[in-house]
Amino acid sequence: DRLADTARRAARARRALEEGTAALLAAAATFHPEGWATLDPAALSAAPEELGLRALARTLMAVGGQVYAPKAAGLERLLAELCGGMAVARTLGGCVIAPRRGRLLVAREPDAAAEQVALPPGGSRIWDGRFTIRLHGEAPAGLVVARLGAEGWREAVERWPALRHRDLPVAVREASPGLWDGRRLLLAPAIGAAEWVEEAGRTVLRADALFTPPMPPGGPAFPVVSKGAGII
């Protein structure tokens, strides 16, 4: 009974923290389908430190495709710096954090997005812990999902000129998934280059890229504790 009481009180405290973190993220964070986020530094600075740390950690976990938060010491240093007016970019948890238009940009660090995943025709794969990539229709075998990088971005804007008008930070586009056939870029579905169309106007290759981080930024409510029935 004493253990159940202790667990119930801990659950109550954690639920309050989870709800406070979710409310802060709702006010301070904007998540984008290309896999990046922006944060309002004023909202983080005004929040209780523990909630600010948790909101920052959840954002880094989602954008970085991680299931564990960065170390507490690193989070504390980063929060202190952004509350004091961050002037230069920093990296933590596989992410780049930088000032951008009065807010904070949080993007995947391009060098950290090093995973290469084979994608069979009609298949679906998780790439870099952040995106679910699905290949539609008839497609050649041997295609690989890997980061776009600077070279891939140059190829993409040559084939899809409208991409030049997308307001995407450099880190976001270079850490974006590309569908490659050897050294040739075929698609960049996360940034809108999702269809390969022949000159006759027929779509011959199509892919989807959904931003699906392993841990939702808001987090679940903590479970209820019931005496005599364990923790539910």
Side-chain angles (χ1 to χ4, degrees):
D1 286 349
R2 287 195 299 272
L3 289 174
D5 285 340
T6 299
R8 178 176 52 80
R9 296 184 184 107
R12 183 177 61 205
R14 181 167 172 179
R15 179 177 179 181
L17 289 171
E18 293 285 0
E19 290 178 349
T21 300
L24 177 57
L25 284 168
T30 301
F31 288 88
H32 300 265
E34 300 90 359
W36 58 295
T38 58
L39 292 170
D40 179 3
L44 291 179
S45 299
E49 184 180 11
E50 182 63 25
L51 294 184
L53 289 169
R54 286 171 175 265
L56 185 58
R58 287 292 177 80
T59 303
L60 293 172
M61 291 164 67
V63 172
Q66 306 296 317
V67 295
Y68 297 108
K71 291 182 179 180
L75 285 170
E76 290 167 354
R77 286 193 298 268
L78 181 60
L79 182 63
E81 186 168 356
L82 67 88
C83 288
M86 178 180 286
V88 296
R90 293 286 183 260
T91 59
L92 184 66
C95 296
V96 177
I97 305 95
R100 185 178 193 261
R101 301 173 185 171
R103 291 175 67 88
L104 292 172
L105 164 72
V106 183
R108 180 70 160 140
E109 189 178 1
D111 287 345
E115 185 178 26
Q116 298 188 18
V117 177
L119 185 60
S124 177
R125 294 288 186 272
I126 302 294
W127 177 75
D128 195 41
R130 301 180 293 140
F131 285 96
T132 300
I133 313 292
R134 184 174 58 171
L135 185 59
H136 296 264
E138 295 182 2
L143 301 186
V144 171
V145 183
R147 71 173 177 237
L148 203 59
E151 179 182 350
W153 172 252
R154 287 193 294 269
E155 290 188 36
V157 295
E158 287 179 6
R159 182 166 179 83
W160 296 275
L163 290 177
R164 299 180 187 275
H165 306 294
R166 295 289 307 277
D167 186 23
L168 293 175
V170 173
V172 173
R173 65 199 194 203
E174 292 192 2
S176 181
L179 193 60
W180 297 83
D181 183 6
R183 294 184 60 84
R184 182 176 65 144
L185 177 71
L186 297 184
L187 299 174
I191 58 173
E195 292 187 346
W196 184 280
V197 181
E198 289 185 334
E199 292 183 1
R202 185 172 69 92
T203 299
V204 294
L205 192 62
R206 184 164 60 93
D208 296 327
L210 299 177
F211 179 43
T212 52
M215 293 292 289
F222 197 69
V224 174
V225 176
S226 175
K227 290 184 180 179
I231 299 177
I232 302 173

